[in-house]
Amino acid sequence: MHTAKRKALIIGGGLGGLTAALSLHRRGWRVEVFEQALQLREVGSGLMLSPNAMSVLVGLGLRHAVERGVVVTQAEMCSWRGTALMKVRTEELPCEGAPPVLFHRAAVHGVLSEALGEGIPVHLGARLARFEEDGSGVVAHFEDGREARGDVLVGADGLRSVVRAQLHPGERLRYAGQPCWRGLARGFEHPGLPRGMLRETQGSGARFGMGHVREDVVYWFAVADWPEGQPVPGGDKAFLQEIFRTAHAPIPQLIAATDEADLLRNDLLDRLPIEQWGRGRVTLLGDAAHPMMPNLGQGACSAIEDGGVLAQVLSGTEDLERGLRDYEARRRERTAWLQQTSWRFGVIAQWKHPLAVWMREQSIRLAPASVMRRQYEQLWGWRLEADR
């Protein structure tokens, strides 16, 4: 394959876009990344990369990324009172040399950014206006007048993708009914939250998750019902302190220990799965293709998976348009399942009626270990196919 002459334009410098850029570059492609922000950095808080995503990074020679996070050794699902309804040791799950790791989002982004080196140009402040195809490739037009030509264009530009809007005009986002607040508690210590523990607590219309992303930093998230885009009374921190006032330790303590500057709020939005992602020499990746609720921890992971599959498929074909459709076909079923399952999980996790909450807790508590393992295998057992 004459991949050295091929060029990919990656629109978006997030985790999925950088993974695609690095994966294609390692397979002989010329790649340029276009990021609308003025700095190449990942905003946000914490995230977990499960073994399916970690295996892609390991395959790119980035095993050392593990050192920038905290390996998850155990996970718990708890009631509001702190009763452990489910306990899992990750050593019993399908990790295969790529453990689940809790990171600060910027740490993962930093590993990928450093790996780009000088061989992959990254253009900042590049806000895409539109793209167009001609007989020999794709041209990207940016708002500041810049243009770029490539053999393919990959829209990795997130939930409100400009690339997707041109491909599928008029789509609407779907609001889950809740914002998600994400916080970092620095220097926080509590005997009830050992390093390596990932814990989620579900109550009545509210839930909370937590775990260390560094030795001295705890990441947490909180979800509670609230109208889209509306401010909460008293400010975010005071609102959460009231919502979680009666929750088990160390939830109230974590919120109290978090500086307002380390607290973010994002309304939870996704889209319904679609059958056709791209057309011609243009495709989508990550949240631009399949935005999903964060309930399964697979948003960033599936974007990283996309990047690995895209590079593998494109580097194995001379027909680039067919290669893009093959990439989409390989990813569509899994990502649609993740979108739908994550939405359903969120609906159940936000149940409010006392009887519904009791039924949810009993179903978690009584679920056989074999069922839980199969669920984790569906989520974590994905691996990039070996090159044939």
Side-chain angles (χ1 to χ4, degrees), residues 240-297:
L240 293 175
Q241 286 179 307
E242 177 59 27
I243 291 287
F244 293 95
R245 176 176 53 84
T246 60
H248 67 81
I251 292 175
Q253 294 88 340
L254 265 173
I255 298 172
T258 301
D259 191 279
E260 293 274 7
D262 288 323
L263 182 59
L264 301 173
R265 169 187 165 171
N266 299 104
D267 288 345
L268 292 180
L269 299 159
D270 75 352
R271 300 182 192 272
L272 293 170
I274 53 175
E275 283 296 315
Q276 182 180 351
W277 291 5
R279 65 170 183 261
R281 294 192 178 207
V282 179
T283 193
L284 300 172
L285 180 153
D287 281 351
H290 45 75
M292 62 188 69
M293 293 292 112
N295 302 314
L296 302 179

Side-chain angles (χ1 to χ4, degrees), residues 4 12 17 49 89 92 94 126 188 215 235 269 316 327 343 364 371:
L49 292 189
R89 297 197 61 82
E92 302 168 357
F188 186 84
E215 288 294 307
L269 299 159
Y327 148 73
W343 179 272
I364 295 171
V371 171

